[in-house]
Amino acid sequence: MKGKCHNYSGCLRAYRGEELEIPEGAPQVCPECGKPIEAAKGGKQLMKIVGAAIVLIGVVLAVIVAVPFFSDKPPGGGEKKAEPAGEERLTTGEATAAAPAGTQPPSAGSAEPPAEVTAPANIDLDASRAENRKVKSEVLTRIDLMPSVSQSNKDKLYNSVERARSMGKVLTIPFASGKTALAPADIEALKTNLDSALIMKLRDDPTAVFVVLGYADPKGDEKKNLAISQVRADAVLAAMRDKCGVVNVMHAVAMGSSTLLDAQNLEKNRIVEVWAVLP
């Protein structure tokens, strides 16, 4: 059978889009990361997809018809509880939609300003600098906790960061509270910064690895905030690869709820940072 691995954040073969050929009777998993592979879509699979789509449309129509018959108040006549403050406002739908392409615009009703991609005037790659050492230590801790990455790929990423002779932040991408997607304008700003002379010098180095760190503020549920930070990092990595033409090895790391960046201004913790790591 032929197929592809979709473990983009932890598998080089998935990142390169390689087509894998699995011998008959062998486990249908990626030989690089051990994750299940998705078979190449043929006629039968297409029919299954079409059938599933028809069923889904039927369910959606049924829900639309049923909604007007239900009250927006819970049983007993009480009022609906207020939405919890903080990052945990992310819904499952938002996370699912944002992860693959990272291109959905933020909600039109958001009171917060749109994200603005920024890059430092000078990229400091001194791995011995206090801020860089602090972030490095935090990243190494988070790598050990990544649930969906094989141990071998964790080891590769850990070694890349641990043994880095140079390491520094090259980009910052802010997000509104509970948001995970990049609008087209944000992707255009991301591309503009990635095409700058300073960052292109790093992109032209085939040994340079970009580590994409997703952050969330510490308000709300810690597990949901960890999921938000992962989806944010995945969305930026996907945009860099698919929309901005970055071909270097990249890894997305969820940093979760954090005051690492600014304990006083929590909005400064709702970001994704792109760090360059050189062996």
Side-chain angles (χ1 to χ4, degrees):
M1 105 174 216
K2 292 184 178 181
K4 290 186 177 181
C5 177
H6 293 278
N7 180 22
Y8 296 115
S9 63
C11 179
L12 288 176
R13 296 197 176 191
Y15 167 75
R16 294 169 179 160
E18 294 182 11
E19 185 173 70
L20 308 173
E21 187 168 345
I22 306 300
E24 183 177 355
Q28 297 179 6
V29 297
C30 175
E32 172 73 17
C33 68
K35 297 292 181 182
I37 67 170
E38 182 178 321
K41 295 180 179 179
K44 290 183 179 180
Q45 188 171 359
L46 179 60
M47 290 302 293
K48 289 181 180 179
I49 294 173
V50 172
I54 293 173
V55 172
L56 179 59
I57 291 171
V59 173
V60 172
L61 290 176
V63 171
I64 292 174
V65 172
V67 164
F69 294 96
F70 292 91
S71 168
D72 62 352
K73 292 184 179 181
E79 296 295 331
K80 297 172 77 173
K81 291 184 178 180
E83 186 177 20
E87 292 278 33
E88 65 178 15
R89 286 180 292 174
L90 175 71
T91 65
T92 301
E94 283 181 292
T96 302
T103 58
Q104 289 190 327
S107 169
S110 174
E112 298 189 44
E116 182 178 345
V117 181
T118 58
N122 294 297
I123 298 174
D124 185 353
L125 296 174
D126 183 359
S128 64
R129 189 166 162 264
E131 179 188 356
N132 293 359
R133 285 190 287 108
K134 185 176 181 181
V135 172
K136 178 180 180 179
S137 176
E138 184 75 9
V139 171
L140 292 174
T141 299
R142 295 290 181 173
I143 290 173
D144 285 334
L145 302 176
M146 293 169 72
S148 58
V149 179
S150 67
Q151 189 58 51
S152 62
N153 281 312
K154 282 184 183 180
D155 291 343
K156 291 177 185 176
L157 176 55
Y158 193 99
N159 289 334
S160 294
V161 176
E162 172 64 27
R163 300 173 182 176
R165 58 180 172 83
S166 300
M167 178 178 177
K169 179 172 61 180
V170 298
L171 283 176
T172 301
I173 304 95
F175 284 82
S177 179
K179 299 301 179 182
T180 60
L182 293 174
D186 301 323
I187 295 176
E188 189 61 34
L190 178 64
K191 186 176 189 307
T192 298
N193 281 279
L194 287 169
D195 288 343
S196 67
L198 283 175
I199 299 180
M200 279 302 301
K201 185 177 180 180
L202 295 168
R203 290 174 58 181
D204 289 339
D205 184 345
T207 68
V209 175
F210 290 111
V211 181
V212 184
L213 307 179
Y215 289 91
D217 71 41
K219 295 186 294 183
D221 181 77
E222 184 176 351
K223 290 183 178 179
K224 288 186 178 180
N225 290 345
L226 181 64
I228 289 174
S229 69
Q230 182 66 67
V231 177
R232 284 174 176 165
D234 289 341
V236 171
L237 187 151
M240 291 175 65
R241 181 189 64 230
D242 301 333
K243 304 294 183 180
C244 304
V246 177
V247 297
N248 303 71
V249 173
M250 293 184 286
H251 298 280
V253 180
M255 303 295 283
S257 303
S258 177
T259 56
L260 178 67
L261 306 170
D262 195 322
Q264 303 303 317
N265 300 311
L266 297 183
E267 69 277 2
K268 292 186 178 181
N269 297 282
R270 298 194 292 264
I271 64 169
V272 166
E273 291 184 340
V274 180
W275 285 67
V277 176
L278 290 88

